[in-house]
């Protein structure tokens, strides 16, 4: 039985990957009994078995098309050379939550000096890219950057009734 184990301590999440489907189906029962010896339990609403095998045919999708784990959605995709690879992209929920936080911050700090707001938003973009900047996630990162700039343009345009911020000036 080949097993790959990942534990994310910050989120108390456990991801166990098996080479054989039968091994993966037996583990929840065994793990529950083992944890019970220490007075611990598995959360039944968060514990589930996902059949996430590599697609066998050239065109066919995998039995489970995707699933979310921590801040990423894991999907099977084709590499540049045509091989099946496991791709991690930022979860849509995570992207929406990050953009909502930027909107709230821009609204709350709309009267702050421009240089201060620009520096803060640049820090947000840089931090987000450092956190979620992995191979295969560049489309979502560029989408995040574009949306942050669009939100900032919206709040810059609301400073005056006379003029609107234009894209040339923003760039």
């Amino acid at each position: 039985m080949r097993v790959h184990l990942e534990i994310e301590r910050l989120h108390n999440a456990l991801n166990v990957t098996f080479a054989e489907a039968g091994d993966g189906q037996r583990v929840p029962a065994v793990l529950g009994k083992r944890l019970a010896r220490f007075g611990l339990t598995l959360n039944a609403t968060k514990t589930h078995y996902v059949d996430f095998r590599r697609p066998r045919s050239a065109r066919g999708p995998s039995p489970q098309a995707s699933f979310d784990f921590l801040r990423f959605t894991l999907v099977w995709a084709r590499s540049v050379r045509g091989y099946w690879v496991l791709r991690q992209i930022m979860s849509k929920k995570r992207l929406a939550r990050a953009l909502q936080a930027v909107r709230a911050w821009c609204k709350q700090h709309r009267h702050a000096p421009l240089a201060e707001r620009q520096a803060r938003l640049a820090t947000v973009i840089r931090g987000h890219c450092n956190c979620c900047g992995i191979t295969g996630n560049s489309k979502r990162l560029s989408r995040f950057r574009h949306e942050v700039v669009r939100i900032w343009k919206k709040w810059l345009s609301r400073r005056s009734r006379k003029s609107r911020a234009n894209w040339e000036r923003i760039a």
Side-chain angles (χ1 to χ4, degrees):
M1 170 168 47
R2 288 187 304 159
V3 177
H4 177 72
L5 181 67
E6 294 178 25
I7 300 175
E8 181 71 34
R9 296 195 65 186
L10 296 175
H11 301 285
N12 293 326
L14 173 67
N15 182 16
V16 183
T17 308
F18 298 95
E20 301 295 326
D23 296 337
Q25 293 170 346
R26 285 191 305 260
V27 164
V30 174
L31 188 60
K33 291 176 186 176
R34 173 100 21 121
L35 291 174
R37 290 191 340 204
F38 301 104
L40 302 172
T41 60
L42 287 173
N43 187 343
T45 61
K46 295 181 180 181
T47 305
H48 58 280
Y49 173 77
V50 177
D51 185 11
F52 192 68
R53 290 176 282 179
R54 178 181 301 132
R56 299 243 186 250
S57 67
R59 295 186 199 141
S62 63
Q64 172 79 21
S66 67
F67 71 94
D68 289 342
F69 183 68
L70 299 181
R71 66 177 64 106
F72 294 105
T73 300
L74 282 75
V75 296
W76 286 107
R78 290 285 189 169
S79 69
V80 175
R81 294 184 179 179
Y83 301 111
W84 286 108
V85 294
L86 185 61
R87 179 143 307 153
Q88 298 177 18
I89 56 176
M90 187 173 30
S91 172
K92 288 182 182 181
K93 292 178 186 178
R94 173 85 173 177
L95 179 66
R97 190 172 47 200
L99 289 173
Q100 186 61 37
V102 169
R103 279 188 199 94
W105 186 88
C106 284
K107 184 176 182 178
Q108 186 178 7
H109 293 88
R110 62 182 153 214
H111 300 298
L114 281 176
E116 181 182 315
R117 287 190 286 169
Q118 188 271 335
R120 168 70 177 167
L121 291 176
T123 303
V124 167
I125 292 172
R126 189 170 34 255
H128 198 75
C129 288
N130 288 341
C131 180
C132 298
I134 59 173
T135 303
N137 197 25
S138 61
K139 287 183 182 179
R140 291 274 167 101
L141 291 177
S142 62
R143 169 76 187 263
F144 177 76
R145 183 190 171 280
H146 175 74
E147 290 296 321
V148 168
V149 171
R150 195 178 65 76
I151 292 166
W152 191 34
K153 178 188 178 297
K154 171 187 169 181
W155 288 102
L156 283 177
S157 296
R158 290 182 170 211
R159 294 186 327 151
S160 171
R161 288 187 221 174
K162 295 178 185 176
S163 65
R164 296 276 179 196
N166 57 16
W167 283 106
E168 291 80 28
R169 188 168 176 210
I170 296 279

